[in-house]
């Protein structure tokens, strides 16, 4: 199977590339950044800035669209719009020309905005209140309207794993390793708004090899169990053998 991964130099994209190669698929990684060429006949790198150009692509079966301007890297509204919306529009043109059959898009729970319910689902009303959330939602809409292929949208929570940096759990771990004081809010609140990167890329693979029709699908992802914020902090302190206090 021919797989394209956008944002292949980023956290999610690079892990997806590694996993699909390990499953013996032919993989193309696309990024505007330079990246180290992997020593395998199963991988080729395409350097392109999707916000400025429509990429010329080989014959693609499935695309994992993980390229994005994140809240960590975004500097202004123009960056978010160009790299999340315009880039997606240009990618769609390239994919339509390549004969792509399935696009898996990594959207975000930020599309829901200020969540006021104890639980949310795929049918919860979306009211993004950040530029990041709005541009992710706009990208979803463009994909559904302009893609000539099956679409799967994944609204992702924080993604955990080696190389992650943005989610608050990672920041707590980093602080605990340095034995710094840990600050938390709502300690008794239940939390499952995170997924492991290993589980996520396996889900990408399951979606890629299992599609059968041209319907559109939406998934809101979360961890299968939940802990309170206090329980999470206790585990972090124990696992890092930290002297941090809360």
């Amino acid at each position: 199977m021919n797989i394209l991964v956008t944002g292949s130099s980023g956290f999610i994209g690079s892990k997806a590339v590694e996993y699909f190669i390990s499953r013996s698929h032919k993989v193309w990684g696309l990024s505007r950044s330079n990246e180290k060429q992997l020593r395998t006949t199963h991988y080729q790198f395409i350097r392109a800035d999707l916000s400025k150009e429509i990429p010329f692509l080989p014959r693609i079966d499935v695309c994992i669209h993980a390229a994005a301007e994140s809240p960590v890297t975004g500097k202004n509204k123009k960056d978010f719009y160009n790299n999340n919306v315009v880039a997606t529009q240009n990618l769609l043109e390239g994919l339509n020309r390549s004969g792509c059959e399935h696009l898996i898009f990594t959207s975000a729970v930020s599309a829901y905005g200020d969540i006021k319910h104890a639980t949310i689902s795929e049918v919860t009303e979306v009211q993004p209140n950040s530029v990041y959330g709005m541009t992710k939602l706009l990208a979803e809409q463009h994909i559904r309207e302009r893609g000539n292929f099956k679409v799967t949208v994944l609204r992702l929570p924080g993604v955990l794993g080696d190389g992650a940096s943005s989610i608050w759990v990672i920041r707590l771990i980093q602080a605990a390793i340095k034995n710094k004081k840990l600050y938390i809010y709502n300690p008794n609140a239940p939390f499952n708004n995170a997924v492991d990167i290993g589980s996520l890329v396996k889900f990408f693979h399951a979606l890629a090899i299992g599609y059968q029709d041209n319907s559109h699908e939406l998934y809101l992802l979360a961890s299968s169990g939940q802990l309170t914020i206090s329980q999470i902090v206790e585990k972090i302190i124990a696992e890092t053998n930290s002297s941090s206090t809360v």
Side-chain angles (χ1 to χ4, degrees):
M1 183 176 289
N2 291 348
I3 308 292
L4 173 69
V5 179
T6 72
S8 58
S9 60
F11 172 53
I12 294 175
S14 62
K15 301 298 184 184
V17 165
E18 292 173 4
Y19 188 80
F20 278 98
I21 290 174
S22 75
R23 306 294 291 187
S24 299
H25 296 289
K26 179 66 176 177
V27 181
W28 283 263
L30 187 151
S31 175
R32 62 185 175 187
S33 303
N34 287 321
E35 67 175 38
K36 185 177 181 180
Q37 181 70 36
L38 300 176
R39 294 184 178 180
T40 172
T41 57
H42 290 284
Y43 182 73
Q44 292 186 37
F45 175 63
I46 302 170
R47 185 176 183 184
D49 186 342
L50 291 175
S51 70
K52 298 178 181 178
E53 58 187 306
I54 298 171
F56 178 78
L57 301 173
R59 173 70 174 83
I60 295 297
D61 297 309
V62 178
C63 173
I64 313 297
H65 182 24
E69 192 75 56
S70 76
V72 176
T73 60
K75 300 178 179 64
N76 54 57
K77 293 180 180 179
K78 185 177 180 179
D79 287 338
F80 282 113
Y81 185 79
N82 286 340
N83 293 319
N84 293 346
V85 181
V86 175
T88 297
Q89 293 172 328
N90 286 337
L91 175 64
L92 291 173
E93 289 295 322
L95 291 176
N96 284 333
R97 297 173 185 177
S98 78
C100 179
E101 297 182 27
H102 187 186
L103 171 63
I104 300 169
F105 175 54
T106 59
S107 188
V109 294
S110 297
Y112 292 101
D114 186 13
I115 299 171
K116 300 178 181 179
H117 307 284
T119 60
I120 60 174
S121 71
E122 289 83 355
V123 298
T124 300
E125 183 180 6
V126 287
Q127 293 182 319
N129 61 352
S130 67
V131 179
Y132 174 66
M134 176 61 74
T135 54
K136 278 293 191 179
L137 187 58
L138 284 172
E140 286 186 23
Q141 293 170 350
H142 283 297
I143 288 169
R144 291 192 179 97
E145 293 170 359
R146 300 175 60 178
N148 297 325
F149 34 72
K150 176 179 170 59
V151 171
T152 304
V153 174
L154 307 180
R155 289 184 181 153
L156 301 183
V159 181
L160 299 172
D162 184 22
S165 60
S166 60
I167 187 172
W168 64 271
V169 175
I170 299 298
R171 294 194 293 271
L172 281 178
I173 293 172
Q174 292 169 341
I177 290 172
K178 297 177 182 178
N179 298 311
K180 293 183 177 181
K181 186 175 179 62
L182 306 181
Y183 296 90
I184 61 173
Y185 303 92
N186 301 319
N188 297 319
F191 179 82
N192 72 337
N193 191 28
V195 293
D196 172 67
I197 184 62
S199 297
L200 179 60
V201 296
K202 289 178 182 178
F203 189 48
F204 287 161
H205 187 256
L207 291 169
I209 65 175
Y211 68 91
Q212 296 179 356
D213 56 39
N214 197 41
S215 62
H216 300 279
E217 296 183 71
L218 168 66
Y219 295 94
L220 170 62
L221 302 189
S223 57
S224 58
Q226 64 182 26
L227 297 171
T228 66
I229 303 298
S230 289
Q231 289 173 323
I232 292 172
V233 172
E234 289 170 5
K235 286 183 176 292
I236 289 173
I237 291 174
E239 292 294 327
T240 58
N241 194 28
S242 175
S243 61
S244 294
T245 59
V246 181

